[in-house]
mmCIF file of all heavy atoms in Angstrom:
data_model
loop_
_atom_site.group_PDB
_atom_site.id
_atom_site.type_symbol
_atom_site.label_atom_id
_atom_site.label_comp_id
_atom_site.label_asym_id
_atom_site.label_seq_id
_atom_site.Cartn_x
_atom_site.Cartn_y
_atom_site.Cartn_z
ATOM 1 N N LEU A 188 -16.409 -77.941 -22.393
ATOM 2 C CA LEU A 188 -17.259 -77.808 -23.501
ATOM 3 C C LEU A 188 -18.058 -76.545 -23.343
ATOM 4 O O LEU A 188 -18.653 -76.291 -22.228
ATOM 5 C CB LEU A 188 -18.271 -78.983 -23.567
ATOM 6 C CG LEU A 188 -19.324 -78.948 -24.643
ATOM 7 C CD1 LEU A 188 -18.726 -79.058 -26.002
ATOM 8 C CD2 LEU A 188 -20.362 -80.010 -24.408
ATOM 9 N N ARG A 189 -18.093 -75.700 -24.320
ATOM 10 C CA ARG A 189 -18.809 -74.445 -24.285
ATOM 11 C C ARG A 189 -19.538 -74.286 -25.670
ATOM 12 O O ARG A 189 -18.973 -74.475 -26.689
ATOM 13 C CB ARG A 189 -17.877 -73.232 -24.155
ATOM 14 C CG ARG A 189 -17.215 -73.240 -22.793
ATOM 15 C CD ARG A 189 -17.242 -71.865 -22.222
ATOM 16 N NE ARG A 189 -16.665 -71.849 -20.942
ATOM 17 C CZ ARG A 189 -17.308 -71.572 -19.772
ATOM 18 N NH1 ARG A 189 -18.631 -71.308 -19.863
ATOM 19 N NH2 ARG A 189 -16.690 -71.496 -18.688
ATOM 20 N N PHE A 190 -20.777 -73.857 -25.532
ATOM 21 C CA PHE A 190 -21.565 -73.587 -26.691
ATOM 22 C C PHE A 190 -21.475 -72.112 -27.028
ATOM 23 O O PHE A 190 -21.558 -71.282 -26.143
ATOM 24 C CB PHE A 190 -23.069 -73.961 -26.523
ATOM 25 C CG PHE A 190 -23.313 -75.458 -26.405
ATOM 26 C CD1 PHE A 190 -23.223 -76.098 -25.153
ATOM 27 C CD2 PHE A 190 -23.592 -76.221 -27.548
ATOM 28 C CE1 PHE A 190 -23.509 -77.484 -25.073
ATOM 29 C CE2 PHE A 190 -23.880 -77.500 -27.406
ATOM 30 C CZ PHE A 190 -23.777 -78.213 -26.203
ATOM 31 N N ASP A 191 -21.272 -71.803 -28.305
ATOM 32 C CA ASP A 191 -21.236 -70.416 -28.721
ATOM 33 C C ASP A 191 -22.648 -69.806 -28.526
ATOM 34 O O ASP A 191 -23.630 -70.433 -28.861
ATOM 35 C CB ASP A 191 -20.799 -70.221 -30.204
ATOM 36 C CG ASP A 191 -20.558 -68.835 -30.662
ATOM 37 O OD1 ASP A 191 -21.588 -68.134 -30.635
ATOM 38 O OD2 ASP A 191 -19.409 -68.480 -30.925
ATOM 39 N N GLU A 192 -22.730 -68.603 -28.006
ATOM 40 C CA GLU A 192 -24.060 -67.966 -27.756
ATOM 41 C C GLU A 192 -24.818 -67.675 -29.032
ATOM 42 O O GLU A 192 -26.106 -67.449 -28.878
ATOM 43 C CB GLU A 192 -23.888 -66.702 -26.836
ATOM 44 C CG GLU A 192 -23.126 -65.632 -27.538
ATOM 45 C CD GLU A 192 -22.792 -64.519 -26.652
ATOM 46 O OE1 GLU A 192 -22.804 -64.616 -25.391
ATOM 47 O OE2 GLU A 192 -22.674 -63.351 -27.157
ATOM 48 N N ARG A 193 -24.223 -67.672 -30.118
ATOM 49 C CA ARG A 193 -24.900 -67.453 -31.391
ATOM 50 C C ARG A 193 -25.543 -68.642 -31.978
ATOM 51 O O ARG A 193 -25.176 -69.101 -33.074
ATOM 52 C CB ARG A 193 -23.944 -66.789 -32.409
ATOM 53 C CG ARG A 193 -23.400 -65.367 -31.894
ATOM 54 C CD ARG A 193 -22.277 -64.906 -32.778
ATOM 55 N NE ARG A 193 -21.190 -65.815 -32.561
ATOM 56 C CZ ARG A 193 -19.989 -65.690 -32.984
ATOM 57 N NH1 ARG A 193 -19.701 -64.553 -33.703
ATOM 58 N NH2 ARG A 193 -19.013 -66.553 -32.692
ATOM 59 N N ILE A 194 -26.512 -69.186 -31.238
ATOM 60 C CA ILE A 194 -27.246 -70.355 -31.661
ATOM 61 C C ILE A 194 -28.389 -69.858 -32.626
ATOM 62 O O ILE A 194 -29.138 -68.997 -32.348
ATOM 63 C CB ILE A 194 -27.848 -71.117 -30.493
ATOM 64 C CG1 ILE A 194 -26.751 -71.638 -29.661
ATOM 65 C CG2 ILE A 194 -28.736 -72.310 -31.029
ATOM 66 C CD1 ILE A 194 -27.191 -72.337 -28.364
ATOM 67 N N ILE A 195 -28.446 -70.447 -33.799
ATOM 68 C CA ILE A 195 -29.452 -70.115 -34.831
ATOM 69 C C ILE A 195 -30.557 -71.161 -34.706
ATOM 70 O O ILE A 195 -30.295 -72.322 -34.615
ATOM 71 C CB ILE A 195 -28.852 -70.176 -36.224
ATOM 72 C CG1 ILE A 195 -27.672 -69.124 -36.321
ATOM 73 C CG2 ILE A 195 -29.892 -69.856 -37.301
ATOM 74 C CD1 ILE A 195 -26.850 -69.286 -37.574
ATOM 75 N N SER A 196 -31.830 -70.696 -34.712
ATOM 76 C CA SER A 196 -32.916 -71.652 -34.665
ATOM 77 C C SER A 196 -34.156 -71.114 -35.435
ATOM 78 O O SER A 196 -34.238 -69.912 -35.634
ATOM 79 C CB SER A 196 -33.378 -71.870 -33.186
ATOM 80 O OG SER A 196 -33.972 -70.771 -32.667
ATOM 81 N N THR A 197 -35.002 -72.121 -35.776
ATOM 82 C CA THR A 197 -36.237 -71.738 -36.437
ATOM 83 C C THR A 197 -37.043 -71.057 -35.330
ATOM 84 O O THR A 197 -36.738 -71.106 -34.145
ATOM 85 C CB THR A 197 -36.943 -72.933 -36.992
ATOM 86 O OG1 THR A 197 -37.058 -73.909 -36.010
ATOM 87 C CG2 THR A 197 -36.176 -73.416 -38.203
ATOM 88 N N ARG A 198 -38.202 -70.383 -35.708
ATOM 89 C CA ARG A 198 -38.992 -69.734 -34.727
ATOM 90 C C ARG A 198 -40.409 -70.034 -34.670
ATOM 91 O O ARG A 198 -41.336 -69.301 -34.642
ATOM 92 C CB ARG A 198 -38.904 -68.144 -35.060
ATOM 93 C CG ARG A 198 -37.490 -67.568 -34.899
ATOM 94 C CD ARG A 198 -37.086 -67.517 -33.444
ATOM 95 N NE ARG A 198 -35.760 -66.945 -33.366
ATOM 96 C CZ ARG A 198 -34.960 -67.066 -32.323
ATOM 97 N NH1 ARG A 198 -35.413 -67.763 -31.291
ATOM 98 N NH2 ARG A 198 -33.790 -66.539 -32.308
ATOM 99 N N MET A 199 -40.691 -71.403 -34.591
ATOM 100 C CA MET A 199 -42.108 -71.804 -34.498
ATOM 101 C C MET A 199 -42.446 -71.621 -33.014
ATOM 102 O O MET A 199 -41.775 -71.703 -32.047
ATOM 103 C CB MET A 199 -42.226 -73.375 -34.725
ATOM 104 C CG MET A 199 -41.939 -73.720 -36.155
ATOM 105 S SD MET A 199 -42.261 -75.413 -36.563
ATOM 106 C CE MET A 199 -41.874 -76.345 -35.143
ATOM 107 N N ALA A 200 -43.756 -71.288 -32.831
ATOM 108 C CA ALA A 200 -44.361 -71.125 -31.495
ATOM 109 C C ALA A 200 -44.693 -72.478 -30.902
ATOM 110 O O ALA A 200 -45.324 -73.297 -31.676
ATOM 111 C CB ALA A 200 -45.636 -70.240 -31.547
ATOM 112 N N CYS A 201 -44.297 -72.741 -29.735
ATOM 113 C CA CYS A 201 -44.490 -74.022 -29.102
ATOM 114 C C CYS A 201 -45.155 -73.822 -27.774
ATOM 115 O O CYS A 201 -44.553 -73.497 -26.792
ATOM 116 C CB CYS A 201 -43.219 -74.822 -28.983
ATOM 117 S SG CYS A 201 -42.384 -75.151 -30.496
ATOM 118 N N MET A 202 -46.465 -74.018 -27.768
ATOM 119 C CA MET A 202 -47.260 -73.778 -26.525
ATOM 120 C C MET A 202 -46.844 -74.814 -25.510
ATOM 121 O O MET A 202 -46.683 -75.967 -25.712
ATOM 122 C CB MET A 202 -48.754 -73.806 -26.892
ATOM 123 C CG MET A 202 -49.202 -72.856 -27.922
ATOM 124 S SD MET A 202 -48.711 -71.173 -27.611
ATOM 125 C CE MET A 202 -49.802 -70.762 -26.263
ATOM 126 N N GLY A 203 -46.667 -74.329 -24.258
ATOM 127 C CA GLY A 203 -46.374 -75.156 -23.127
ATOM 128 C C GLY A 203 -44.902 -75.667 -23.052
ATOM 129 O O GLY A 203 -44.601 -76.598 -22.341
ATOM 130 N N TYR A 204 -44.072 -75.032 -23.849
ATOM 131 C CA TYR A 204 -42.671 -75.475 -23.841
ATOM 132 C C TYR A 204 -41.753 -74.258 -23.577
ATOM 133 O O TYR A 204 -41.836 -73.233 -24.289
ATOM 134 C CB TYR A 204 -42.284 -76.130 -25.148
ATOM 135 C CG TYR A 204 -40.812 -76.657 -25.179
ATOM 136 C CD1 TYR A 204 -40.443 -77.651 -24.378
ATOM 137 C CD2 TYR A 204 -39.952 -76.115 -26.102
ATOM 138 C CE1 TYR A 204 -39.161 -78.138 -24.405
ATOM 139 C CE2 TYR A 204 -38.669 -76.626 -26.175
ATOM 140 C CZ TYR A 204 -38.232 -77.620 -25.340
ATOM 141 O OH TYR A 204 -36.941 -78.038 -25.353
ATOM 142 N N ASN A 205 -40.848 -74.338 -22.599
ATOM 143 C CA ASN A 205 -39.952 -73.274 -22.324
ATOM 144 C C ASN A 205 -38.658 -73.427 -23.006
ATOM 145 O O ASN A 205 -37.637 -73.989 -22.429
ATOM 146 C CB ASN A 205 -39.730 -73.215 -20.703
ATOM 147 C CG ASN A 205 -38.996 -71.947 -20.387
ATOM 148 O OD1 ASN A 205 -38.442 -71.191 -21.175
ATOM 149 N ND2 ASN A 205 -38.999 -71.682 -19.087
ATOM 150 N N GLU A 206 -38.560 -73.033 -24.252
ATOM 151 C CA GLU A 206 -37.358 -73.266 -25.086
ATOM 152 C C GLU A 206 -36.196 -72.428 -24.522
ATOM 153 O O GLU A 206 -35.065 -72.774 -24.647
ATOM 154 C CB GLU A 206 -37.716 -72.888 -26.479
ATOM 155 C CG GLU A 206 -36.620 -73.214 -27.499
ATOM 156 C CD GLU A 206 -37.032 -72.988 -28.957
ATOM 157 O OE1 GLU A 206 -37.390 -71.895 -29.337
ATOM 158 O OE2 GLU A 206 -37.023 -73.997 -29.654
ATOM 159 N N LYS A 207 -36.550 -71.208 -24.019
ATOM 160 C CA LYS A 207 -35.412 -70.386 -23.473
ATOM 161 C C LYS A 207 -34.730 -71.107 -22.418
ATOM 162 O O LYS A 207 -33.467 -70.972 -22.406
ATOM 163 C CB LYS A 207 -36.063 -69.002 -22.971
ATOM 164 C CG LYS A 207 -34.982 -68.101 -22.446
ATOM 165 C CD LYS A 207 -35.612 -66.792 -21.991
ATOM 166 C CE LYS A 207 -34.556 -65.856 -21.405
ATOM 167 N NZ LYS A 207 -33.298 -66.318 -20.862
ATOM 168 N N ALA A 208 -35.372 -71.799 -21.531
ATOM 169 C CA ALA A 208 -34.692 -72.534 -20.457
ATOM 170 C C ALA A 208 -33.742 -73.619 -21.056
ATOM 171 O O ALA A 208 -32.662 -73.835 -20.555
ATOM 172 C CB ALA A 208 -35.665 -73.230 -19.493
ATOM 173 N N PHE A 209 -34.194 -74.263 -22.091
ATOM 174 C CA PHE A 209 -33.394 -75.297 -22.769
ATOM 175 C C PHE A 209 -32.083 -74.651 -23.338
ATOM 176 O O PHE A 209 -31.048 -75.159 -23.072
ATOM 177 C CB PHE A 209 -34.237 -75.927 -23.958
ATOM 178 C CG PHE A 209 -33.404 -76.976 -24.760
ATOM 179 C CD1 PHE A 209 -33.334 -78.270 -24.305
ATOM 180 C CD2 PHE A 209 -32.811 -76.554 -25.890
ATOM 181 C CE1 PHE A 209 -32.571 -79.176 -25.014
ATOM 182 C CE2 PHE A 209 -32.014 -77.487 -26.556
ATOM 183 C CZ PHE A 209 -31.942 -78.833 -26.161
ATOM 184 N N ILE A 210 -32.179 -73.506 -24.055
ATOM 185 C CA ILE A 210 -31.066 -72.885 -24.658
ATOM 186 C C ILE A 210 -30.198 -72.309 -23.533
ATOM 187 O O ILE A 210 -28.957 -72.424 -23.595
ATOM 188 C CB ILE A 210 -31.498 -71.761 -25.649
ATOM 189 C CG1 ILE A 210 -32.348 -72.322 -26.828
ATOM 190 C CG2 ILE A 210 -30.288 -70.940 -26.123
ATOM 191 C CD1 ILE A 210 -31.534 -73.135 -27.813
ATOM 192 N N ASP A 211 -30.737 -71.731 -22.572
ATOM 193 C CA ASP A 211 -29.978 -71.231 -21.398
ATOM 194 C C ASP A 211 -29.115 -72.286 -20.764
ATOM 195 O O ASP A 211 -27.962 -72.141 -20.433
ATOM 196 C CB ASP A 211 -30.811 -70.589 -20.372
ATOM 197 C CG ASP A 211 -31.391 -69.224 -20.775
ATOM 198 O OD1 ASP A 211 -30.972 -68.696 -21.821
ATOM 199 O OD2 ASP A 211 -32.311 -68.733 -20.178
ATOM 200 N N ASN A 212 -29.682 -73.535 -20.678
ATOM 201 C CA ASN A 212 -28.909 -74.660 -20.067
ATOM 202 C C ASN A 212 -27.694 -75.000 -21.000
ATOM 203 O O ASN A 212 -26.598 -75.333 -20.524
ATOM 204 C CB ASN A 212 -29.775 -75.861 -19.813
ATOM 205 C CG ASN A 212 -30.261 -75.899 -18.433
ATOM 206 O OD1 ASN A 212 -29.911 -75.091 -17.563
ATOM 207 N ND2 ASN A 212 -31.270 -76.747 -18.121
ATOM 208 N N LEU A 213 -27.937 -75.015 -22.311
ATOM 209 C CA LEU A 213 -26.854 -75.258 -23.220
ATOM 210 C C LEU A 213 -25.721 -74.206 -22.971
ATOM 211 O O LEU A 213 -24.530 -74.552 -22.923
ATOM 212 C CB LEU A 213 -27.294 -75.303 -24.728
ATOM 213 C CG LEU A 213 -28.165 -76.423 -25.191
ATOM 214 C CD1 LEU A 213 -28.394 -76.236 -26.675
ATOM 215 C CD2 LEU A 213 -27.468 -77.749 -24.983
ATOM 216 N N LEU A 214 -26.120 -72.964 -22.878
ATOM 217 C CA LEU A 214 -25.113 -71.908 -22.729
ATOM 218 C C LEU A 214 -24.502 -71.842 -21.372
ATOM 219 O O LEU A 214 -23.337 -71.383 -21.263
ATOM 220 C CB LEU A 214 -25.830 -70.508 -22.980
ATOM 221 C CG LEU A 214 -26.379 -70.330 -24.417
ATOM 222 C CD1 LEU A 214 -27.120 -69.020 -24.528
ATOM 223 C CD2 LEU A 214 -25.227 -70.375 -25.411
ATOM 224 N N ARG A 215 -25.073 -72.446 -20.369
ATOM 225 C CA ARG A 215 -24.462 -72.569 -19.037
ATOM 226 C C ARG A 215 -23.387 -73.710 -19.036
ATOM 227 O O ARG A 215 -22.518 -73.742 -18.114
ATOM 228 C CB ARG A 215 -25.506 -72.881 -17.997
ATOM 229 C CG ARG A 215 -26.332 -71.681 -17.631
ATOM 230 C CD ARG A 215 -27.460 -72.039 -16.630
ATOM 231 N NE ARG A 215 -27.024 -72.768 -15.550
ATOM 232 C CZ ARG A 215 -27.785 -73.493 -14.785
ATOM 233 N NH1 ARG A 215 -29.129 -73.652 -15.069
ATOM 234 N NH2 ARG A 215 -27.348 -74.175 -13.721
ATOM 235 N N THR A 216 -23.450 -74.663 -19.961
ATOM 236 C CA THR A 216 -22.499 -75.733 -20.038
ATOM 237 C C THR A 216 -21.119 -75.301 -20.104
ATOM 238 O O THR A 216 -20.776 -74.452 -20.949
ATOM 239 C CB THR A 216 -22.899 -76.696 -21.226
ATOM 240 O OG1 THR A 216 -24.227 -77.129 -21.128
ATOM 241 C CG2 THR A 216 -21.961 -77.870 -21.332
ATOM 242 N N ASN A 217 -20.213 -75.849 -19.233
ATOM 243 C CA ASN A 217 -18.826 -75.580 -19.289
ATOM 244 C C ASN A 217 -17.944 -76.830 -19.341
ATOM 245 O O ASN A 217 -16.751 -76.830 -19.433
ATOM 246 C CB ASN A 217 -18.359 -74.609 -18.302
ATOM 247 C CG ASN A 217 -18.532 -75.124 -16.786
ATOM 248 O OD1 ASN A 217 -18.825 -76.271 -16.623
ATOM 249 N ND2 ASN A 217 -18.386 -74.246 -15.916
ATOM 250 N N ARG A 218 -18.659 -78.008 -19.137
ATOM 251 C CA ARG A 218 -17.907 -79.298 -19.240
ATOM 252 C C ARG A 218 -18.882 -80.375 -19.557
ATOM 253 O O ARG A 218 -20.052 -80.166 -19.498
ATOM 254 C CB ARG A 218 -17.132 -79.478 -17.934
ATOM 255 C CG ARG A 218 -17.893 -79.645 -16.744
ATOM 256 C CD ARG A 218 -16.988 -79.764 -15.514
ATOM 257 N NE ARG A 218 -16.301 -81.069 -15.419
ATOM 258 C CZ ARG A 218 -16.860 -82.143 -14.758
ATOM 259 N NH1 ARG A 218 -18.057 -82.076 -14.275
ATOM 260 N NH2 ARG A 218 -16.181 -83.258 -14.712
ATOM 261 N N PHE A 219 -18.318 -81.580 -19.806
ATOM 262 C CA PHE A 219 -19.169 -82.732 -20.102
ATOM 263 C C PHE A 219 -18.473 -83.949 -19.585
ATOM 264 O O PHE A 219 -17.220 -84.038 -19.338
ATOM 265 C CB PHE A 219 -19.542 -82.847 -21.562
ATOM 266 C CG PHE A 219 -18.347 -83.365 -22.361
ATOM 267 C CD1 PHE A 219 -18.219 -84.716 -22.721
ATOM 268 C CD2 PHE A 219 -17.349 -82.530 -22.792
ATOM 269 C CE1 PHE A 219 -17.160 -85.217 -23.445
ATOM 270 C CE2 PHE A 219 -16.288 -82.987 -23.479
ATOM 271 C CZ PHE A 219 -16.196 -84.333 -23.911
ATOM 272 N N GLU A 220 -19.216 -85.057 -19.293
ATOM 273 C CA GLU A 220 -18.714 -86.356 -19.020
ATOM 274 C C GLU A 220 -19.603 -87.294 -19.765
ATOM 275 O O GLU A 220 -20.765 -87.144 -19.958
ATOM 276 C CB GLU A 220 -18.886 -86.672 -17.495
ATOM 277 C CG GLU A 220 -17.933 -85.970 -16.614
ATOM 278 C CD GLU A 220 -18.061 -86.305 -15.179
ATOM 279 O OE1 GLU A 220 -18.663 -87.396 -14.886
ATOM 280 O OE2 GLU A 220 -17.581 -85.549 -14.279
ATOM 281 N N ILE A 221 -18.962 -88.449 -20.139
ATOM 282 C CA ILE A 221 -19.700 -89.608 -20.764
ATOM 283 C C ILE A 221 -19.429 -90.785 -19.876
ATOM 284 O O ILE A 221 -18.241 -91.192 -19.687
ATOM 285 C CB ILE A 221 -19.280 -89.818 -22.184
ATOM 286 C CG1 ILE A 221 -19.547 -88.617 -23.017
ATOM 287 C CG2 ILE A 221 -20.024 -91.093 -22.725
ATOM 288 C CD1 ILE A 221 -19.031 -88.759 -24.472
ATOM 289 N N LYS A 222 -20.534 -91.274 -19.151
ATOM 290 C CA LYS A 222 -20.403 -92.392 -18.321
ATOM 291 C C LYS A 222 -21.501 -93.440 -18.679
ATOM 292 O O LYS A 222 -22.619 -93.067 -18.803
ATOM 293 C CB LYS A 222 -20.603 -92.022 -16.871
ATOM 294 C CG LYS A 222 -19.436 -91.237 -16.259
ATOM 295 C CD LYS A 222 -19.665 -91.095 -14.778
ATOM 296 C CE LYS A 222 -18.487 -90.395 -14.138
ATOM 297 N NZ LYS A 222 -18.781 -89.972 -12.760
ATOM 298 N N ASN A 223 -20.991 -94.689 -18.902
ATOM 299 C CA ASN A 223 -22.029 -95.716 -19.242
ATOM 300 C C ASN A 223 -22.877 -95.376 -20.377
ATOM 301 O O ASN A 223 -24.079 -95.663 -20.513
ATOM 302 C CB ASN A 223 -22.820 -96.146 -18.066
ATOM 303 C CG ASN A 223 -21.940 -96.677 -16.904
ATOM 304 O OD1 ASN A 223 -20.949 -97.329 -17.123
ATOM 305 N ND2 ASN A 223 -22.336 -96.278 -15.713
ATOM 306 N N GLY A 224 -22.300 -94.682 -21.389
ATOM 307 C CA GLY A 224 -23.063 -94.327 -22.602
ATOM 308 C C GLY A 224 -24.045 -93.130 -22.504
ATOM 309 O O GLY A 224 -24.792 -92.808 -23.310
ATOM 310 N N VAL A 225 -23.893 -92.414 -21.254
ATOM 311 C CA VAL A 225 -24.749 -91.285 -21.046
ATOM 312 C C VAL A 225 -23.873 -90.073 -21.064
ATOM 313 O O VAL A 225 -22.938 -89.906 -20.280
ATOM 314 C CB VAL A 225 -25.523 -91.388 -19.670
ATOM 315 C CG1 VAL A 225 -26.310 -90.151 -19.451
ATOM 316 C CG2 VAL A 225 -26.359 -92.612 -19.666
ATOM 317 N N LEU A 226 -24.206 -89.108 -21.907
ATOM 318 C CA LEU A 226 -23.538 -87.757 -22.020
ATOM 319 C C LEU A 226 -24.209 -86.818 -20.988
ATOM 320 O O LEU A 226 -25.386 -86.675 -21.005
ATOM 321 C CB LEU A 226 -23.713 -87.177 -23.413
ATOM 322 C CG LEU A 226 -23.380 -85.721 -23.554
ATOM 323 C CD1 LEU A 226 -21.806 -85.545 -23.332
ATOM 324 C CD2 LEU A 226 -23.693 -85.251 -25.010
ATOM 325 N N MET A 227 -23.428 -86.305 -20.116
ATOM 326 C CA MET A 227 -23.901 -85.334 -19.107
ATOM 327 C C MET A 227 -23.293 -83.916 -19.440
ATOM 328 O O MET A 227 -22.097 -83.835 -19.405
ATOM 329 C CB MET A 227 -23.503 -85.822 -17.681
ATOM 330 C CG MET A 227 -24.249 -87.118 -17.322
ATOM 331 S SD MET A 227 -23.667 -87.721 -15.739
ATOM 332 C CE MET A 227 -22.038 -88.479 -16.222
ATOM 333 N N LEU A 228 -24.140 -83.052 -19.751
ATOM 334 C CA LEU A 228 -23.754 -81.690 -19.931
ATOM 335 C C LEU A 228 -23.789 -81.012 -18.513
ATOM 336 O O LEU A 228 -24.808 -81.125 -17.797
ATOM 337 C CB LEU A 228 -24.628 -80.937 -20.946
ATOM 338 C CG LEU A 228 -24.677 -81.505 -22.361
ATOM 339 C CD1 LEU A 228 -25.554 -80.607 -23.278
ATOM 340 C CD2 LEU A 228 -23.284 -81.688 -22.985
ATOM 341 N N MET A 229 -22.689 -80.376 -18.205
ATOM 342 C CA MET A 229 -22.537 -79.891 -16.832
ATOM 343 C C MET A 229 -22.133 -78.453 -16.716
ATOM 344 O O MET A 229 -21.442 -77.908 -17.647
ATOM 345 C CB MET A 229 -21.583 -80.732 -16.077
ATOM 346 C CG MET A 229 -21.838 -82.288 -16.230
ATOM 347 S SD MET A 229 -20.574 -83.306 -15.538
ATOM 348 C CE MET A 229 -20.827 -83.144 -13.807
ATOM 349 N N GLU A 230 -22.469 -77.819 -15.637
ATOM 350 C CA GLU A 230 -21.838 -76.570 -15.192
ATOM 351 C C GLU A 230 -21.108 -76.888 -13.954
ATOM 352 O O GLU A 230 -21.736 -77.114 -12.891
ATOM 353 C CB GLU A 230 -22.979 -75.552 -14.929
ATOM 354 C CG GLU A 230 -22.375 -74.120 -14.547
ATOM 355 C CD GLU A 230 -23.503 -73.098 -14.240
ATOM 356 O OE1 GLU A 230 -24.527 -73.465 -13.690
ATOM 357 O OE2 GLU A 230 -23.224 -71.932 -14.615
ATOM 358 N N ASN A 231 -19.782 -76.810 -14.048
ATOM 359 C CA ASN A 231 -18.872 -77.320 -12.980
ATOM 360 C C ASN A 231 -19.227 -78.713 -12.604
ATOM 361 O O ASN A 231 -19.101 -79.578 -13.360
ATOM 362 C CB ASN A 231 -18.932 -76.246 -11.826
ATOM 363 C CG ASN A 231 -18.529 -74.840 -12.264
ATOM 364 O OD1 ASN A 231 -17.626 -74.741 -13.069
ATOM 365 N ND2 ASN A 231 -19.183 -73.928 -11.733
ATOM 366 N N GLU A 232 -19.824 -78.949 -11.338
ATOM 367 C CA GLU A 232 -20.108 -80.241 -10.965
ATOM 368 C C GLU A 232 -21.617 -80.556 -10.985
ATOM 369 O O GLU A 232 -22.057 -81.660 -10.667
ATOM 370 C CB GLU A 232 -19.671 -80.516 -9.495
ATOM 371 C CG GLU A 232 -18.189 -80.485 -9.252
ATOM 372 C CD GLU A 232 -17.443 -81.410 -10.167
ATOM 373 O OE1 GLU A 232 -17.822 -82.646 -10.258
ATOM 374 O OE2 GLU A 232 -16.475 -81.053 -10.861
ATOM 375 N N THR A 233 -22.356 -79.515 -11.455
ATOM 376 C CA THR A 233 -23.883 -79.666 -11.559
ATOM 377 C C THR A 233 -24.290 -80.283 -12.903
ATOM 378 O O THR A 233 -23.896 -79.738 -13.943
ATOM 379 C CB THR A 233 -24.571 -78.312 -11.341
ATOM 380 O OG1 THR A 233 -24.119 -77.743 -10.065
ATOM 381 C CG2 THR A 233 -26.095 -78.483 -11.437
ATOM 382 N N ILE A 234 -25.071 -81.327 -12.961
ATOM 383 C CA ILE A 234 -25.538 -81.891 -14.201
ATOM 384 C C ILE A 234 -26.672 -81.027 -14.656
ATOM 385 O O ILE A 234 -27.705 -80.984 -13.899
ATOM 386 C CB ILE A 234 -25.958 -83.406 -14.012
ATOM 387 C CG1 ILE A 234 -24.723 -84.170 -13.563
ATOM 388 C CG2 ILE A 234 -26.530 -83.936 -15.317
ATOM 389 C CD1 ILE A 234 -25.012 -85.632 -13.190
#
């Protein structure tokens, strides 16, 4: 699983929230697993 780097988003300011880290984690994703109803976005073996 790979997310395209061209993610479009609104641009509200959110104090105390590191949105860049959230998006960066999506972009680092290269695979996924679903176990017991839980979707795990992963980079190789790292959840």
